[in-house]
Amino acid sequence: MSCGLCMDDEQAMRSGPLTHLDIFCPYAPCCRLDFALCEMTAVFGTVQVSNVKRASSTGLPSQTESLQEFAAWLDKDKLVAFRVESDEHTIEDSVWLALLDGKAFALEQDELHAGQHFEKGWSVVRGHWFSLARTERAGGTRVYKALEEQTLFNVQSMMKIKDLKFLQGVPKRTRLSTAAWYKNNEFSLHRETYQLLVDSL
């Protein structure tokens, strides 16, 4: 058991002194962190105080940097995944897939799109949702179709997983791709790939 009892904020940030005991003592004063009044030291031992120097974060990527790197990787025909809140689960289950139309960009002003509010400065990208057409009984392969309607995605809401691919590879579109492309093309996601996405939630 360990706890921080230092009353000096600067010292706590600098050396992080911790009060610790090898075995938790259930005696009432110890539960109140008043270890000086403990009468069970013969059984559980006495507390010790150790300085724990603050670890340096130099060289470690920040969440902001990671988001910027991921946003820079996004591009046309990239396949991305989104985690879905439990109250929004549908036939698609807990992970939704999307096909991107281009690179991510920062919004220059607040924008309302498909009933969702996007704030100025957010990193966003345009693309298309995939709809789950069916799940094959043999092997559990999930078959998807891309929806023709374009939508706007918040990059921060994406699962930071790169190089996600269907069994057929990454869908490729050209300038001549029409509504028929979205209607007629199906893409299969292996059951193990989908499970890896679920396990990453």
Side-chain angles (χ1 to χ4, degrees), residues 128-197:
H128 305 258
W129 285 118
F130 277 99
S131 175
L132 180 64
R134 63 185 181 279
T135 300
E136 302 287 359
R137 291 188 177 181
T141 299
R142 298 167 66 89
V143 181
Y144 292 85
K145 284 187 175 184
L147 302 180
E148 184 181 0
E149 181 181 1
Q150 187 187 67
T151 190
L152 191 66
F153 301 116
N154 181 0
V155 174
Q156 191 166 0
S157 299
M158 296 179 183
M159 299 174 67
K160 307 304 183 288
I161 298 177
K162 297 180 179 179
D163 301 322
L164 184 61
K165 296 180 180 179
F166 289 114
L167 294 179
Q168 298 89 341
V170 177
K172 295 293 185 181
R173 293 165 296 167
T174 68
R175 293 181 179 179
L176 300 178
S177 295
T178 62
W181 186 92
Y182 294 94
K183 179 180 179 180
N184 298 328
N185 282 281
E186 293 186 336
F187 302 93
S188 302
L189 189 71
H190 203 281
R191 179 180 60 185
E192 281 73 12
T193 302
Y194 180 76
Q195 189 59 50
L196 285 175
L197 291 173

Side-chain angles (χ1 to χ4, degrees), residues 7 20 24-25 39 44 47 57 75 79 85 96 113 124 132 151 189 192-193:
M7 301 300 291
H20 57 90
F24 174 73
C25 177
E39 298 179 1
F44 297 100
V47 297
S57 60
D75 206 344
L79 180 64
E85 298 297 334
W96 292 359
H113 190 90
V124 297
L132 180 64
T151 190
L189 189 71
E192 281 73 12
T193 302

Side-chain angles (χ1 to χ4, degrees), residues 64-83:
T64 300
E65 289 173 338
S66 298
L67 178 63
Q68 291 174 343
E69 291 176 0
F70 182 75
W73 171 82
L74 300 174
D75 206 344
K76 185 177 184 296
D77 292 330
K78 294 290 188 181
L79 180 64
V80 295
F82 293 79
R83 58 174 53 87

